[in-house]
Amino acid sequence: LSPTQPFPVKPPPLVPHAMSAEDIWGITVVDRGQCRRKYGDARFGPIFTPPSLEGTVVVPSTAGGINWGGVAVDPRNRILVTKVLRMAHFVQLIPLDAVPDPGDGAPENLMGTPSPLLGTPYALKQEPMVSDMFTPCVTPPWAAVIAVDLQAGEILWQSPLGVLDKLMPMPLPLKWGTASFGGPIITGGGLVFIGATQDNRIRAFALATGEEIWEAELPTGAFAMPMTYAIKGRQYVVIAAGGHPFIYPQPGDTLTAFALPAAE
């Protein structure tokens, strides 16, 4: 057996694989102070640092790095595109006898209530690493679209994914990325389409450069992969927008299709 987890040499990590207490960040001095009080005494370390009784900061978070949505690949140009999260997660083991009501061990609990780990004397407390204002305690951008040259094993470009205008009391258009679930598609014309964000948008990026060249607003968050099809020579992109029970509880039930301009 290998004495360690395998560490790929190429491409380089697409998100940070380690964090220290000195890396704790906040939008304001108040946010940073809240993050330090909540997490400053936790265990920090590289990827695969295990849970602990004092609590462990997990980087990448349990939601990624790369997670829901996967990757898209352009086989002609040997380019891979994916969405990544750069947020951190907090996990803590708590002895069962210290948990007043351990419940039934529901695995979907992600917001701080301890849940029993079956077959062990512990419950697990887990939560996103955020301030009391629910802003991440790590440096932005918090989400990005990244392209990788599969032949060279190098990152070609990375672009922030999402703005904060729907998440703040004042609609500031800060392009710092948002929590996101969902993957991209690549079209034959060299465009990357993706929803996945908490700002109700679908976007298109140029595959060659990563430039965001188009966006459209949707009825709610679209945490599904887009698809594309053609009818009588005209191409369409369609995406489902339904919200998300955890990161964006604004339910919807909409399919929206966009048509590329008709050829002259």
Side-chain angles (χ1 to χ4, degrees):
L1 298 178
S2 173
T4 67
Q5 292 279 356
F7 286 87
V9 177
K10 287 188 174 184
L14 305 188
V15 297
H17 277 193
M19 184 175 177
S20 70
E22 289 71 32
D23 296 325
I24 291 177
W25 183 89
I27 291 180
T28 66
V29 174
V30 173
D31 286 293
R32 189 181 185 195
Q34 291 173 349
C35 290
R36 286 184 175 276
R37 285 192 295 273
K38 291 172 70 174
Y39 307 112
D41 294 331
R43 177 188 290 183
F44 289 81
I47 189 172
F48 307 129
T49 298
S52 61
L53 293 173
E54 69 268 30
T56 297
V57 172
V58 178
V59 179
S61 80
T62 56
I66 302 170
N67 197 329
W68 176 255
V71 305
V73 175
D74 177 353
R76 291 182 304 170
N77 296 299
R78 298 180 177 87
I79 295 174
L80 176 148
V81 176
T82 186
K83 179 272 304 172
V84 297
L85 278 177
R86 293 197 175 98
M87 300 180 182
H89 205 74
F90 176 80
V91 296
Q92 184 177 17
L93 296 174
I94 300 175
L96 280 179
D97 57 12
V99 180
D101 180 14
D104 60 1
E108 68 274 10
N109 177 21
L110 298 174
M111 292 306 297
T113 303
S115 184
L117 296 171
L118 300 181
T120 79
Y122 297 104
L124 181 69
K125 175 184 178 181
Q126 57 175 329
E127 61 190 28
M129 188 180 172
V130 294
S131 72
D132 293 345
M133 295 291 291
F134 216 70
T135 55
C137 298
V138 297
T139 307
W142 300 318
V145 180
I146 294 181
V148 177
D149 183 326
L150 292 175
Q151 189 159 342
E154 298 174 351
I155 295 175
L156 289 177
W157 51 260
Q158 43 192 310
S159 299
L161 181 63
V163 297
L164 302 185
D165 57 350
K166 298 289 192 297
L167 302 175
M168 302 183 72
M170 295 180 62
L172 299 176
L174 297 172
K175 192 177 287 188
W176 286 358
T178 74
S180 54
F181 294 107
I185 60 169
I186 301 173
T187 67
L191 295 177
V192 177
F193 287 94
I194 186 168
T197 58
Q198 294 172 288
D199 61 11
N200 297 7
R201 290 173 172 89
I202 180 174
R203 294 175 166 84
F205 295 84
L207 178 62
T209 64
E211 178 187 2
E212 184 179 322
I213 60 175
W214 173 82
E215 70 171 36
E217 194 147 340
L218 300 167
T220 187
F223 302 98
M225 292 179 66
M227 65 172 288
T228 186
Y229 59 93
I231 298 177
K232 297 181 179 179
R234 192 171 188 187
Q235 188 175 2
Y236 299 81
V237 172
V238 63
I239 193 166
H244 191 283
F246 175 48
I247 68 168
Y248 202 64
Q250 297 184 21
D253 186 17
T254 305
L255 288 173
T256 304
F258 301 91
L260 272 66
E264 295 182 358

